[in-house]
Amino acid sequence: MPDMLVSLLHLPQAQDLYDSLEQKGIRIQRAMTPDKLYVVKWVKDHFGAGFAGECDASFSHHPVSCFLAVQDRRILGFACYNATYPDFFGPTAVLESQRGSGIGKALLIRSLEAMRDYGYAYAIIGGVGPVEFYSKCVGATLIPDSTPGIYRDLIGANPEEHSAPL
């Protein structure tokens, strides 16, 4: 799976998207360290050990580099950045029942906004599955010769596990 590059200098305005999700009772919020074990277990249960390992690493940053989509105290999706490598977005995934609702796009943009605020001008989206999604949402472009990328030396996880549809 290839990597993609996205400019953080020209991210789409997402406040209307955040507001529309809020009207449905869905909040995009930064994960909190007291919820680490719950969040990492949820990620493992729904998306596998590979994603859970990266999500776990995001809790070592201050602030935590993981955003959640939450409705009625239930997680619907997550997105991490700076988890496996600095300046990398991912992993990210949304419950199958919630795909197509805008949650994946909101998590993506909110995470990229945080990366921009941290000081990055560009970000790498690692091991991309839905190329069209990232291209359409934030103008990401494929990085030539980026397969297998950072996941080439995985021992316990399958590189294919590092890509989930949004």
Side-chain angles (χ1 to χ4, degrees):
M1 294 168 302
D3 295 335
M4 296 184 84
L5 184 67
V6 60
S7 171
L8 304 179
L9 304 174
H10 306 287
L11 293 174
Q13 210 293 336
Q15 192 59 52
D16 290 344
L17 175 59
Y18 302 150
D19 291 344
S20 72
L21 290 172
E22 285 257 353
Q23 289 174 352
K24 298 174 189 171
I26 301 169
R27 286 181 298 116
I28 304 300
Q29 64 186 54
R30 190 179 294 271
M32 295 180 64
T33 53
D35 286 328
K36 174 185 175 179
L37 297 178
Y38 175 77
V39 171
V40 172
K41 180 182 183 320
W42 182 89
V43 171
K44 182 178 181 187
D45 290 349
H46 291 279
F47 302 105
F51 275 16
E54 290 177 288
C55 182
D56 187 300
S58 73
F59 281 86
S60 67
H61 300 285
H62 296 284
V64 173
S65 59
C66 176
F67 284 94
L68 305 171
V70 178
Q71 183 179 46
D72 298 325
R73 298 175 58 124
R74 288 182 23 252
I75 301 171
L76 305 177
F78 79 104
C80 300
Y81 63 95
N82 289 349
T84 301
Y85 277 85
D87 199 23
F88 269 71
F89 168 80
T92 185
V94 174
L95 290 175
E96 189 171 347
S97 63
Q98 300 296 317
R99 293 181 189 155
S101 66
I103 291 172
K105 182 177 181 179
L107 287 165
L108 168 65
I109 294 172
R110 183 62 192 96
S111 297
L112 295 177
E113 290 170 342
M115 294 176 78
R116 180 192 59 210
D117 293 346
Y118 188 75
Y120 294 119
Y122 299 90
I124 298 167
I125 304 172
V128 172
V131 170
E132 300 80 23
F133 172 81
Y134 293 111
S135 179
K136 180 179 170 186
C137 288
V138 294
T141 58
L142 287 171
I143 298 174
D145 301 320
S146 60
T147 301
I150 64 170
Y151 299 111
R152 72 179 174 270
D153 295 325
L154 287 176
I155 296 169
N158 179 340
E160 298 299 317
E161 288 181 12
H162 288 274
S163 174
L166 295 176

